[in-house]
Amino acid sequence: KHGVLTRKSHADMDGKRTPRGRRGWKKFYAVLKGMILYLQKDEYKPDNDISEVDLKNAVRIHHALATRATDYSKRANVLKLKTSDWRVFLLQAPSEEEMMSWIFRINLV
Ligand code: I3P
């Protein structure tokens, strides 16, 4: 699955709150491949190698949990992703349908 997702980092590894200065929203081109959600700067092209920065932003979603971010109301169509290493991301999809689709696909892994 591919698509545009805008990310906010809410908690870092071990569940510590992401400090101010690193809590902003950032737009990515997301690619879900196997057990990894790649958050890429540019649109996915099958022939391109994954850049170093893109690898750094990749999220392992094995044992991760995606839910609708019901406690976050500043933006619409936001899902909450909790990873197995206790990071928490808010991910905003372009539509309700896309948000539901990402939740479904992430939880299938
Ligand atoms: C954050 C940025 C986020 C904001 C967050 C700020 O600042 O303005 O947009 O979240 O508020 O800390 P920075 O880019 O310096 O990290 P919202 O858009 O959800 O308000 P927060 O600390 O209350 O999460």
Side-chain angles (χ1 to χ4, degrees), residues 1-5 28-34 36-40 42-47 93-94 97-99 101-102 105:
K1 180 171 172 61
H2 300 183
V4 172
L5 283 179
F28 290 96
Y29 196 78
V31 180
L32 181 57
K33 231 178 175 182
I36 297 177
L37 178 66
Y38 294 96
L39 295 171
Q40 308 188 159
D42 300 308
E43 189 155 341
Y44 170 78
K45 295 187 198 79
D47 298 337
E97 196 185 359
E98 272 293 288
M99 178 198 69
S101 164
W102 280 111
R105 292 293 299 275

PDB file of all heavy atoms in Angstrom, residues 1-5 28-34 36-40 42-47 93-94 97-99 101-102 105:
ATOM      1  N   LYS A   1       0.826  -1.207   0.000  1.00  0.00           N
ATOM      2  CA  LYS A   1       0.000   0.000   0.000  1.00  0.00           C
ATOM      3  C   LYS A   1       0.860   1.257   0.000  1.00  0.00           C
ATOM      4  O   LYS A   1       1.863   1.319   0.697  1.00  0.00           O
ATOM      5  CB  LYS A   1      -0.929  -0.027   1.230  1.00  0.00           C
ATOM      6  CG  LYS A   1      -1.815   1.189   1.323  1.00  0.00           C
ATOM      7  CD  LYS A   1      -2.861   1.047   2.406  1.00  0.00           C
ATOM      8  CE  LYS A   1      -3.606   2.356   2.597  1.00  0.00           C
ATOM      9  NZ  LYS A   1      -4.333   2.809   1.385  1.00  0.00           N
ATOM     10  N   HIS A   2       0.441   2.246  -0.743  1.00  0.00           N
ATOM     11  CA  HIS A   2       1.175   3.508  -0.859  1.00  0.00           C
ATOM     12  C   HIS A   2       0.234   4.665  -0.554  1.00  0.00           C
ATOM     13  O   HIS A   2      -0.972   4.525  -0.695  1.00  0.00           O
ATOM     14  CB  HIS A   2       1.641   3.778  -2.290  1.00  0.00           C
ATOM     15  CG  HIS A   2       2.545   2.740  -2.858  1.00  0.00           C
ATOM     16  ND1 HIS A   2       3.098   2.884  -4.103  1.00  0.00           N
ATOM     17  CD2 HIS A   2       2.980   1.566  -2.375  1.00  0.00           C
ATOM     18  CE1 HIS A   2       3.844   1.828  -4.362  1.00  0.00           C
ATOM     19  NE2 HIS A   2       3.789   1.009  -3.333  1.00  0.00           N
ATOM     20  N   GLY A   3       0.803   5.802  -0.221  1.00  0.00           N
ATOM     21  CA  GLY A   3      -0.017   7.005  -0.121  1.00  0.00           C
ATOM     22  C   GLY A   3       0.629   8.083   0.723  1.00  0.00           C
ATOM     23  O   GLY A   3       1.607   7.826   1.421  1.00  0.00           O
ATOM     24  N   VAL A   4       0.078   9.253   0.642  1.00  0.00           N
ATOM     25  CA  VAL A   4       0.613  10.375   1.410  1.00  0.00           C
ATOM     26  C   VAL A   4       0.154  10.268   2.866  1.00  0.00           C
ATOM     27  O   VAL A   4      -1.018  10.034   3.139  1.00  0.00           O
ATOM     28  CB  VAL A   4       0.140  11.721   0.811  1.00  0.00           C
ATOM     29  CG1 VAL A   4       0.531  12.882   1.717  1.00  0.00           C
ATOM     30  CG2 VAL A   4       0.717  11.916  -0.581  1.00  0.00           C
ATOM     31  N   LEU A   5       1.113  10.397   3.797  1.00  0.00           N
ATOM     32  CA  LEU A   5       0.791  10.440   5.223  1.00  0.00           C
ATOM     33  C   LEU A   5       1.589  11.575   5.857  1.00  0.00           C
ATOM     34  O   LEU A   5       2.771  11.749   5.548  1.00  0.00           O
ATOM     35  CB  LEU A   5       1.160   9.128   5.918  1.00  0.00           C
ATOM     36  CG  LEU A   5       0.255   7.899   5.733  1.00  0.00           C
ATOM     37  CD1 LEU A   5       0.840   6.712   6.483  1.00  0.00           C
ATOM     38  CD2 LEU A   5      -1.160   8.183   6.205  1.00  0.00           C
ATOM     39  N   PHE A  28       4.978  12.877   4.280  1.00  0.00           N
ATOM     40  CA  PHE A  28       5.784  11.835   3.660  1.00  0.00           C
ATOM     41  C   PHE A  28       4.987  11.087   2.604  1.00  0.00           C
ATOM     42  O   PHE A  28       3.751  11.111   2.622  1.00  0.00           O
ATOM     43  CB  PHE A  28       6.217  10.798   4.702  1.00  0.00           C
ATOM     44  CG  PHE A  28       7.227  11.305   5.690  1.00  0.00           C
ATOM     45  CD1 PHE A  28       6.815  11.779   6.924  1.00  0.00           C
ATOM     46  CD2 PHE A  28       8.571  11.305   5.388  1.00  0.00           C
ATOM     47  CE1 PHE A  28       7.736  12.250   7.849  1.00  0.00           C
ATOM     48  CE2 PHE A  28       9.501  11.766   6.299  1.00  0.00           C
ATOM     49  CZ  PHE A  28       9.079  12.233   7.533  1.00  0.00           C
ATOM     50  N   TYR A  29       5.712  10.391   1.752  1.00  0.00           N
ATOM     51  CA  TYR A  29       5.080   9.411   0.886  1.00  0.00           C
ATOM     52  C   TYR A  29       5.302   8.048   1.535  1.00  0.00           C
ATOM     53  O   TYR A  29       6.431   7.585   1.662  1.00  0.00           O
ATOM     54  CB  TYR A  29       5.673   9.459  -0.523  1.00  0.00           C
ATOM     55  CG  TYR A  29       4.760   8.743  -1.476  1.00  0.00           C
ATOM     56  CD1 TYR A  29       3.605   9.358  -1.951  1.00  0.00           C
ATOM     57  CD2 TYR A  29       5.002   7.431  -1.853  1.00  0.00           C
ATOM     58  CE1 TYR A  29       2.735   8.690  -2.784  1.00  0.00           C
ATOM     59  CE2 TYR A  29       4.134   6.756  -2.693  1.00  0.00           C
ATOM     60  CZ  TYR A  29       3.003   7.397  -3.152  1.00  0.00           C
ATOM     61  OH  TYR A  29       2.128   6.740  -3.960  1.00  0.00           O
ATOM     62  N   ALA A  30       4.243   7.437   2.010  1.00  0.00           N
ATOM     63  CA  ALA A  30       4.339   6.207   2.799  1.00  0.00           C
ATOM     64  C   ALA A  30       4.205   4.981   1.913  1.00  0.00           C
ATOM     65  O   ALA A  30       3.377   4.948   0.997  1.00  0.00           O
ATOM     66  CB  ALA A  30       3.256   6.204   3.865  1.00  0.00           C
ATOM     67  N   VAL A  31       5.048   4.003   2.181  1.00  0.00           N
ATOM     68  CA  VAL A  31       4.995   2.728   1.468  1.00  0.00           C
ATOM     69  C   VAL A  31       5.039   1.606   2.494  1.00  0.00           C
ATOM     70  O   VAL A  31       5.991   1.506   3.270  1.00  0.00           O
ATOM     71  CB  VAL A  31       6.189   2.585   0.495  1.00  0.00           C
ATOM     72  CG1 VAL A  31       6.120   1.252  -0.238  1.00  0.00           C
ATOM     73  CG2 VAL A  31       6.221   3.732  -0.505  1.00  0.00           C
ATOM     74  N   LEU A  32       4.004   0.794   2.518  1.00  0.00           N
ATOM     75  CA  LEU A  32       3.971  -0.355   3.427  1.00  0.00           C
ATOM     76  C   LEU A  32       4.418  -1.595   2.660  1.00  0.00           C
ATOM     77  O   LEU A  32       3.800  -1.984   1.670  1.00  0.00           O
ATOM     78  CB  LEU A  32       2.555  -0.542   3.955  1.00  0.00           C
ATOM     79  CG  LEU A  32       2.337  -1.697   4.944  1.00  0.00           C
ATOM     80  CD1 LEU A  32       3.236  -1.562   6.154  1.00  0.00           C
ATOM     81  CD2 LEU A  32       0.879  -1.737   5.393  1.00  0.00           C
ATOM     82  N   LYS A  33       5.540  -2.148   3.107  1.00  0.00           N
ATOM     83  CA  LYS A  33       6.154  -3.255   2.389  1.00  0.00           C
ATOM     84  C   LYS A  33       6.572  -4.290   3.417  1.00  0.00           C
ATOM     85  O   LYS A  33       7.419  -3.996   4.272  1.00  0.00           O
ATOM     86  CB  LYS A  33       7.407  -2.727   1.669  1.00  0.00           C
ATOM     87  CG  LYS A  33       7.493  -3.052   0.211  1.00  0.00           C
ATOM     88  CD  LYS A  33       8.755  -2.395  -0.306  1.00  0.00           C
ATOM     89  CE  LYS A  33       9.044  -2.743  -1.732  1.00  0.00           C
ATOM     90  NZ  LYS A  33      10.313  -2.098  -2.151  1.00  0.00           N
ATOM     91  N   GLY A  34       5.980  -5.456   3.361  1.00  0.00           N
ATOM     92  CA  GLY A  34       6.298  -6.469   4.360  1.00  0.00           C
ATOM     93  C   GLY A  34       5.949  -5.931   5.734  1.00  0.00           C
ATOM     94  O   GLY A  34       4.834  -5.477   5.960  1.00  0.00           O
ATOM     95  N   ILE A  36       7.445  -3.373   7.202  1.00  0.00           N
ATOM     96  CA  ILE A  36       8.037  -2.046   7.374  1.00  0.00           C
ATOM     97  C   ILE A  36       7.202  -0.972   6.679  1.00  0.00           C
ATOM     98  O   ILE A  36       6.763  -1.142   5.536  1.00  0.00           O
ATOM     99  CB  ILE A  36       9.491  -2.020   6.844  1.00  0.00           C
ATOM    100  CG1 ILE A  36      10.349  -2.991   7.660  1.00  0.00           C
ATOM    101  CG2 ILE A  36      10.072  -0.608   6.931  1.00  0.00           C
ATOM    102  CD1 ILE A  36      11.777  -3.109   7.195  1.00  0.00           C
ATOM    103  N   LEU A  37       6.976   0.095   7.419  1.00  0.00           N
ATOM    104  CA  LEU A  37       6.316   1.267   6.850  1.00  0.00           C
ATOM    105  C   LEU A  37       7.417   2.277   6.528  1.00  0.00           C
ATOM    106  O   LEU A  37       8.022   2.859   7.425  1.00  0.00           O
ATOM    107  CB  LEU A  37       5.316   1.862   7.857  1.00  0.00           C
ATOM    108  CG  LEU A  37       4.585   3.120   7.412  1.00  0.00           C
ATOM    109  CD1 LEU A  37       3.644   2.841   6.239  1.00  0.00           C
ATOM    110  CD2 LEU A  37       3.790   3.725   8.573  1.00  0.00           C
ATOM    111  N   TYR A  38       7.687   2.428   5.235  1.00  0.00           N
ATOM    112  CA  TYR A  38       8.684   3.402   4.804  1.00  0.00           C
ATOM    113  C   TYR A  38       8.024   4.764   4.699  1.00  0.00           C
ATOM    114  O   TYR A  38       6.956   4.885   4.099  1.00  0.00           O
ATOM    115  CB  TYR A  38       9.269   3.012   3.442  1.00  0.00           C
ATOM    116  CG  TYR A  38      10.064   1.735   3.487  1.00  0.00           C
ATOM    117  CD1 TYR A  38       9.483   0.517   3.140  1.00  0.00           C
ATOM    118  CD2 TYR A  38      11.393   1.747   3.896  1.00  0.00           C
ATOM    119  CE1 TYR A  38      10.207  -0.664   3.194  1.00  0.00           C
ATOM    120  CE2 TYR A  38      12.131   0.569   3.949  1.00  0.00           C
ATOM    121  CZ  TYR A  38      11.534  -0.628   3.602  1.00  0.00           C
ATOM    122  OH  TYR A  38      12.252  -1.794   3.664  1.00  0.00           O
ATOM    123  N   LEU A  39       8.642   5.752   5.320  1.00  0.00           N
ATOM    124  CA  LEU A  39       8.146   7.127   5.208  1.00  0.00           C
ATOM    125  C   LEU A  39       9.176   7.887   4.386  1.00  0.00           C
ATOM    126  O   LEU A  39      10.232   8.265   4.883  1.00  0.00           O
ATOM    127  CB  LEU A  39       7.946   7.735   6.595  1.00  0.00           C
ATOM    128  CG  LEU A  39       6.846   7.058   7.433  1.00  0.00           C
ATOM    129  CD1 LEU A  39       6.852   7.567   8.860  1.00  0.00           C
ATOM    130  CD2 LEU A  39       5.470   7.260   6.791  1.00  0.00           C
ATOM    131  N   GLN A  40       8.857   8.062   3.129  1.00  0.00           N
ATOM    132  CA  GLN A  40       9.836   8.595   2.178  1.00  0.00           C
ATOM    133  C   GLN A  40       9.544  10.049   1.862  1.00  0.00           C
ATOM    134  O   GLN A  40       8.409  10.492   1.889  1.00  0.00           O
ATOM    135  CB  GLN A  40       9.806   7.771   0.888  1.00  0.00           C
ATOM    136  CG  GLN A  40       9.941   6.287   1.146  1.00  0.00           C
ATOM    137  CD  GLN A  40      10.113   5.475  -0.117  1.00  0.00           C
ATOM    138  OE1 GLN A  40      10.596   4.371  -0.080  1.00  0.00           O
ATOM    139  NE2 GLN A  40       9.701   6.027  -1.250  1.00  0.00           N
ATOM    140  N   ASP A  42      10.137  11.446  -1.060  1.00  0.00           N
ATOM    141  CA  ASP A  42       9.591  11.558  -2.414  1.00  0.00           C
ATOM    142  C   ASP A  42       8.752  10.343  -2.756  1.00  0.00           C
ATOM    143  O   ASP A  42       8.850   9.315  -2.105  1.00  0.00           O
ATOM    144  CB  ASP A  42      10.730  11.683  -3.433  1.00  0.00           C
ATOM    145  CG  ASP A  42      11.573  12.901  -3.152  1.00  0.00           C
ATOM    146  OD1 ASP A  42      10.996  13.993  -3.029  1.00  0.00           O
ATOM    147  OD2 ASP A  42      12.795  12.748  -3.008  1.00  0.00           O
ATOM    148  N   GLU A  43       7.992  10.507  -3.775  1.00  0.00           N
ATOM    149  CA  GLU A  43       7.108   9.448  -4.224  1.00  0.00           C
ATOM    150  C   GLU A  43       7.889   8.179  -4.556  1.00  0.00           C
ATOM    151  O   GLU A  43       8.987   8.229  -5.080  1.00  0.00           O
ATOM    152  CB  GLU A  43       6.327   9.915  -5.449  1.00  0.00           C
ATOM    153  CG  GLU A  43       5.229   8.947  -5.836  1.00  0.00           C
ATOM    154  CD  GLU A  43       4.123   9.638  -6.609  1.00  0.00           C
ATOM    155  OE1 GLU A  43       4.032  10.861  -6.519  1.00  0.00           O
ATOM    156  OE2 GLU A  43       3.364   8.941  -7.280  1.00  0.00           O
ATOM    157  N   TYR A  44       7.272   7.055  -4.247  1.00  0.00           N
ATOM    158  CA  TYR A  44       7.887   5.755  -4.469  1.00  0.00           C
ATOM    159  C   TYR A  44       8.082   5.467  -5.956  1.00  0.00           C
ATOM    160  O   TYR A  44       7.181   5.637  -6.752  1.00  0.00           O
ATOM    161  CB  TYR A  44       6.967   4.699  -3.866  1.00  0.00           C
ATOM    162  CG  TYR A  44       7.302   3.268  -4.204  1.00  0.00           C
ATOM    163  CD1 TYR A  44       8.334   2.611  -3.549  1.00  0.00           C
ATOM    164  CD2 TYR A  44       6.576   2.595  -5.182  1.00  0.00           C
ATOM    165  CE1 TYR A  44       8.627   1.295  -3.858  1.00  0.00           C
ATOM    166  CE2 TYR A  44       6.862   1.275  -5.493  1.00  0.00           C
ATOM    167  CZ  TYR A  44       7.891   0.628  -4.826  1.00  0.00           C
ATOM    168  OH  TYR A  44       8.177  -0.661  -5.123  1.00  0.00           O
ATOM    169  N   LYS A  45       9.287   5.077  -6.309  1.00  0.00           N
ATOM    170  CA  LYS A  45       9.540   4.581  -7.667  1.00  0.00           C
ATOM    171  C   LYS A  45      10.239   3.241  -7.542  1.00  0.00           C
ATOM    172  O   LYS A  45      11.247   3.129  -6.853  1.00  0.00           O
ATOM    173  CB  LYS A  45      10.419   5.566  -8.443  1.00  0.00           C
ATOM    174  CG  LYS A  45       9.737   6.899  -8.683  1.00  0.00           C
ATOM    175  CD  LYS A  45      10.570   7.784  -9.602  1.00  0.00           C
ATOM    176  CE  LYS A  45      10.154   9.227  -9.508  1.00  0.00           C
ATOM    177  NZ  LYS A  45      10.709   9.888  -8.314  1.00  0.00           N
ATOM    178  N   PRO A  46       9.717   2.215  -8.189  1.00  0.00           N
ATOM    179  CA  PRO A  46      10.213   0.857  -7.988  1.00  0.00           C
ATOM    180  C   PRO A  46      11.717   0.713  -8.206  1.00  0.00           C
ATOM    181  O   PRO A  46      12.366  -0.091  -7.543  1.00  0.00           O
ATOM    182  CB  PRO A  46       9.451   0.048  -9.031  1.00  0.00           C
ATOM    183  CG  PRO A  46       8.300   0.872  -9.435  1.00  0.00           C
ATOM    184  CD  PRO A  46       8.606   2.299  -9.138  1.00  0.00           C
ATOM    185  N   ASP A  47      12.284   1.517  -9.108  1.00  0.00           N
ATOM    186  CA  ASP A  47      13.702   1.354  -9.439  1.00  0.00           C
ATOM    187  C   ASP A  47      14.627   2.103  -8.488  1.00  0.00           C
ATOM    188  O   ASP A  47      15.823   1.818  -8.421  1.00  0.00           O
ATOM    189  CB  ASP A  47      13.965   1.818 -10.874  1.00  0.00           C
ATOM    190  CG  ASP A  47      13.181   0.980 -11.873  1.00  0.00           C
ATOM    191  OD1 ASP A  47      12.820  -0.164 -11.519  1.00  0.00           O
ATOM    192  OD2 ASP A  47      12.914   1.462 -12.981  1.00  0.00           O
ATOM    193  N   ALA A  93      -4.051  10.916   7.390  1.00  0.00           N
ATOM    194  CA  ALA A  93      -4.322  10.466   6.025  1.00  0.00           C
ATOM    195  C   ALA A  93      -5.156  11.528   5.305  1.00  0.00           C
ATOM    196  O   ALA A  93      -5.786  12.372   5.943  1.00  0.00           O
ATOM    197  CB  ALA A  93      -5.064   9.133   6.062  1.00  0.00           C
ATOM    198  N   PRO A  94      -5.165  11.480   3.971  1.00  0.00           N
ATOM    199  CA  PRO A  94      -5.915  12.478   3.209  1.00  0.00           C
ATOM    200  C   PRO A  94      -7.437  12.332   3.300  1.00  0.00           C
ATOM    201  O   PRO A  94      -8.157  13.257   2.935  1.00  0.00           O
ATOM    202  CB  PRO A  94      -5.464  12.272   1.765  1.00  0.00           C
ATOM    203  CG  PRO A  94      -4.427  11.229   1.766  1.00  0.00           C
ATOM    204  CD  PRO A  94      -4.367  10.594   3.107  1.00  0.00           C
ATOM    205  N   GLU A  97     -11.478   7.357   4.524  1.00  0.00           N
ATOM    206  CA  GLU A  97     -11.349   6.049   3.876  1.00  0.00           C
ATOM    207  C   GLU A  97      -9.892   5.571   3.873  1.00  0.00           C
ATOM    208  O   GLU A  97      -9.599   4.418   4.169  1.00  0.00           O
ATOM    209  CB  GLU A  97     -11.875   6.187   2.448  1.00  0.00           C
ATOM    210  CG  GLU A  97     -12.164   4.880   1.767  1.00  0.00           C
ATOM    211  CD  GLU A  97     -12.576   5.069   0.315  1.00  0.00           C
ATOM    212  OE1 GLU A  97     -12.650   6.224  -0.148  1.00  0.00           O
ATOM    213  OE2 GLU A  97     -12.802   4.052  -0.354  1.00  0.00           O
ATOM    214  N   GLU A  98      -8.981   6.497   3.545  1.00  0.00           N
ATOM    215  CA  GLU A  98      -7.557   6.168   3.536  1.00  0.00           C
ATOM    216  C   GLU A  98      -7.076   5.839   4.950  1.00  0.00           C
ATOM    217  O   GLU A  98      -6.289   4.911   5.152  1.00  0.00           O
ATOM    218  CB  GLU A  98      -6.755   7.347   2.982  1.00  0.00           C
ATOM    219  CG  GLU A  98      -6.604   7.317   1.489  1.00  0.00           C
ATOM    220  CD  GLU A  98      -5.742   6.146   1.050  1.00  0.00           C
ATOM    221  OE1 GLU A  98      -4.532   6.192   1.279  1.00  0.00           O
ATOM    222  OE2 GLU A  98      -6.288   5.169   0.496  1.00  0.00           O
ATOM    223  N   MET A  99      -7.539   6.598   5.942  1.00  0.00           N
ATOM    224  CA  MET A  99      -7.150   6.338   7.328  1.00  0.00           C
ATOM    225  C   MET A  99      -7.571   4.927   7.740  1.00  0.00           C
ATOM    226  O   MET A  99      -6.782   4.178   8.306  1.00  0.00           O
ATOM    227  CB  MET A  99      -7.786   7.366   8.265  1.00  0.00           C
ATOM    228  CG  MET A  99      -7.454   7.120   9.721  1.00  0.00           C
ATOM    229  SD  MET A  99      -8.575   7.956  10.840  1.00  0.00           S
ATOM    230  CE  MET A  99     -10.069   7.045  10.549  1.00  0.00           C
ATOM    231  N   SER A 101      -8.173   2.410   5.847  1.00  0.00           N
ATOM    232  CA  SER A 101      -7.415   1.444   5.065  1.00  0.00           C
ATOM    233  C   SER A 101      -6.007   1.227   5.638  1.00  0.00           C
ATOM    234  O   SER A 101      -5.525   0.094   5.749  1.00  0.00           O
ATOM    235  CB  SER A 101      -7.362   1.923   3.611  1.00  0.00           C
ATOM    236  OG  SER A 101      -6.359   1.250   2.906  1.00  0.00           O
ATOM    237  N   TRP A 102      -5.358   2.323   6.045  1.00  0.00           N
ATOM    238  CA  TRP A 102      -4.038   2.190   6.682  1.00  0.00           C
ATOM    239  C   TRP A 102      -4.145   1.418   7.996  1.00  0.00           C
ATOM    240  O   TRP A 102      -3.318   0.558   8.288  1.00  0.00           O
ATOM    241  CB  TRP A 102      -3.415   3.570   6.942  1.00  0.00           C
ATOM    242  CG  TRP A 102      -2.770   4.192   5.744  1.00  0.00           C
ATOM    243  CD1 TRP A 102      -3.198   5.293   5.058  1.00  0.00           C
ATOM    244  CD2 TRP A 102      -1.568   3.760   5.089  1.00  0.00           C
ATOM    245  NE1 TRP A 102      -2.343   5.565   4.018  1.00  0.00           N
ATOM    246  CE2 TRP A 102      -1.331   4.651   4.016  1.00  0.00           C
ATOM    247  CE3 TRP A 102      -0.656   2.710   5.297  1.00  0.00           C
ATOM    248  CZ2 TRP A 102      -0.226   4.521   3.159  1.00  0.00           C
ATOM    249  CZ3 TRP A 102       0.439   2.586   4.447  1.00  0.00           C
ATOM    250  CH2 TRP A 102       0.645   3.479   3.401  1.00  0.00           C
ATOM    251  N   ARG A 105      -4.587  -2.273   7.197  1.00  0.00           N
ATOM    252  CA  ARG A 105      -3.397  -2.903   6.615  1.00  0.00           C
ATOM    253  C   ARG A 105      -2.267  -3.036   7.639  1.00  0.00           C
ATOM    254  O   ARG A 105      -1.558  -4.044   7.677  1.00  0.00           O
ATOM    255  CB  ARG A 105      -2.918  -2.120   5.389  1.00  0.00           C
ATOM    256  CG  ARG A 105      -3.892  -2.211   4.218  1.00  0.00           C
ATOM    257  CD  ARG A 105      -3.964  -3.634   3.664  1.00  0.00           C
ATOM    258  NE  ARG A 105      -2.685  -4.089   3.158  1.00  0.00           N
ATOM    259  CZ  ARG A 105      -2.232  -3.849   1.929  1.00  0.00           C
ATOM    260  NH1 ARG A 105      -2.981  -3.194   1.069  1.00  0.00           N
ATOM    261  NH2 ARG A 105      -1.038  -4.275   1.552  1.00  0.00           N
TER     262      ARG A 105
END
